[in-house]
Amino acid sequence: MKIMTVCGHGLGTSFMVEMNIKNVLQELGVTGVEVEHSDLSSVGPSDADVFFLAKDIAEGGAHLGEVIVLNNIIDMDELREKVTALMKEKNLI
């Protein structure tokens, strides 16, 4: 499974969310999930299975397929909740 974190420029925000998702996956004991980051203009539906986007660019990423929208990109509780739900949905925990 591959997760892609996406922001407007593919620099700070998406990289921070990538690192935080990796930390949550480690906390959950989940292995075998690849996590990368990109900018919205460079990413396409075939680049990942699931895309995490901030709410301010969510509409622009609707074409990507399975999108998880983060209301607050620095809220670790929200991220942990959404990553955990995704891992349960995918039968990885």
Side-chain angles (χ1 to χ4, degrees):
M1 175 181 186
K2 185 172 181 180
I3 295 172
M4 183 76 69
T5 63
V6 181
C7 69
H9 298 287
L11 299 170
T13 302
S14 59
F15 181 64
M16 179 191 70
V17 176
E18 173 190 343
M19 299 306 294
N20 287 339
I21 289 174
K22 287 179 177 179
N23 288 337
V24 171
L25 291 173
Q26 185 175 19
E27 289 173 12
L28 296 171
V30 174
T31 59
V33 175
E34 187 178 348
V35 185
E36 294 182 4
H37 68 280
S38 183
D39 64 280
L40 187 57
S41 63
S42 299
V43 71
S46 63
D47 291 327
D49 301 301
V50 180
F51 299 85
F52 278 76
L53 287 80
K55 69 179 178 179
D56 63 327
I57 63 167
E59 187 175 312
H63 69 285
L64 294 173
E66 187 171 355
V67 172
I68 295 175
V69 177
L70 297 173
N71 295 310
N72 182 344
I73 60 166
I74 61 171
D75 183 347
M76 282 302 293
D77 291 331
E78 177 189 6
L79 185 65
R80 190 174 291 107
E81 177 183 309
K82 290 183 175 181
V83 170
T84 301
L86 176 64
M87 294 302 107
K88 288 180 179 178
E89 175 189 319
K90 302 295 183 184
N91 296 315
L92 295 173
I93 56 171

